[in-house]
């Protein structure tokens, strides 16, 4: 059973308002399932929406944010209901999130979101952890990435089992089922 889910997602809302709406809904669904949201501590974009949804739903929110982001006022540092940890570096942020979480799920986002996804997924393939990793493929957002990953496996740049082990799901229920199935 997943008790703590780390989410990687955009610090912007993106061009399609459905992403922000879905992020908020996902936060409320996590709260309803009593799954703690572990996230990067941001207050804007999809990060802000998912955390607000979790808070509005009465859920638990655990944020980890680097000091430089706090200094730029990008976080939810003094938000009631958020257990926030300030760290010095992005590396510490990811390590603390990875330690806290039972599984990882990636929503739409940009370069930082991809970097976080690929780092924890690489750690998994190197057996540095055995926690499941997934993509929440909202309205096919991640389809081009999944096609690229398939191409990497087709050309033997990564094992097919690695690609197949990534949970790719169109909705939160399917994602949580896929991630939980990999917990053993």
């Amino acid at each position: 059973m997943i008790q703590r889910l780390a989410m990687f997602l955009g610090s912007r809302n993106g061009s399609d308002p459905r992403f922000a709406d879905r992020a908020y809904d996902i936060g409320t669904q996590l709260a309803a399932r009593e799954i703690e949201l572990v996230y990067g501590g941001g207050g804007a974009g999809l990060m802000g929406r998912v955390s607000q949804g979790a808070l509005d739903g009465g859920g638990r929110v655990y944020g980890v944010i680097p000091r430089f982001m706090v200094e730029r006022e990008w976080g939810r540092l003094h938000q009631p209901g958020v257990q926030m940890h300030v760290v010095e570096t992005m590396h510490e942020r990811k390590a603390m999130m990875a330690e806290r979480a039972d599984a990882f799920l990636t929503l739409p986002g940009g370069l930082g979101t991809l970097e976080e996804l690929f780092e924890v997924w690489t750690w998994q393939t190197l057996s540095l952890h055995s926690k499941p990793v997934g993509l929440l493929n909202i309205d096919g957002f991640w389809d081009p990435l999944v096609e690229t990953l398939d191409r990497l496996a087709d050309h033997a740049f990564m094992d097919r089992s690695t690609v197949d082990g990534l949970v790719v799901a169109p909705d939160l229920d399917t994602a949580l089922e896929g991630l939980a199935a990999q917990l053993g």
Side-chain angles (χ1 to χ4, degrees):
M1 171 144 220
I2 296 171
Q3 297 177 4
R4 296 181 179 108
L5 181 64
M7 298 197 88
F8 305 130
L9 64 170
S11 61
R12 298 178 180 188
N13 283 327
S15 62
D16 189 333
R18 291 179 297 177
F19 296 141
D21 292 343
R22 293 283 294 279
Y24 182 87
D25 291 342
I26 288 163
T28 62
Q29 290 176 49
L30 292 177
R33 289 174 171 84
E34 298 182 359
I35 297 173
E36 179 182 87
L37 169 66
V38 178
Y39 86 120
L46 300 188
M47 283 200 288
R49 297 295 293 155
V50 74
S51 61
Q52 192 62 53
L55 291 170
D56 289 350
R60 298 180 326 269
V61 177
Y62 184 93
V64 184
I65 191 166
R67 185 171 310 286
F68 80 90
M69 290 184 176
V70 171
E71 291 167 357
R72 295 177 187 178
E73 299 180 358
W74 290 352
R76 299 188 83 118
L77 196 57
H78 303 293
Q79 176 79 31
V82 177
Q83 185 179 356
M84 188 68 71
H85 296 273
V86 179
V87 296
E88 296 305 316
T89 68
M90 295 292 282
H91 296 295
E92 288 177 87
R93 175 197 213 182
K94 288 180 287 189
M96 185 175 274
M97 288 175 67
E99 183 178 318
R100 178 83 175 184
D102 299 320
F104 307 92
L105 188 60
T106 306
L107 274 67
L111 191 58
T113 302
L114 288 170
E115 189 271 334
E116 291 168 326
L117 163 69
F118 284 119
E119 185 155 5
V120 297
W121 195 20
T122 299
W123 292 349
Q124 181 198 56
T125 64
L126 295 172
S127 299
L128 298 176
H129 71 77
S130 59
K131 299 172 182 183
V133 179
L135 292 171
L136 190 59
N137 197 17
I138 296 172
D139 296 329
F141 180 83
W142 292 118
D143 286 349
L145 177 60
V146 172
E147 290 171 16
T148 299
L149 296 170
D150 283 334
R151 184 173 174 87
L152 292 171
D154 291 345
H155 288 276
F157 285 106
M158 62 190 304
D159 293 336
R160 171 57 54 192
S161 62
T162 301
V163 175
D164 292 344
L166 181 68
V167 174
V168 180
D171 56 66
L172 185 61
D173 288 334
T174 307
L176 291 174
E177 288 172 15
L179 294 169
Q182 289 188 17
L183 285 175

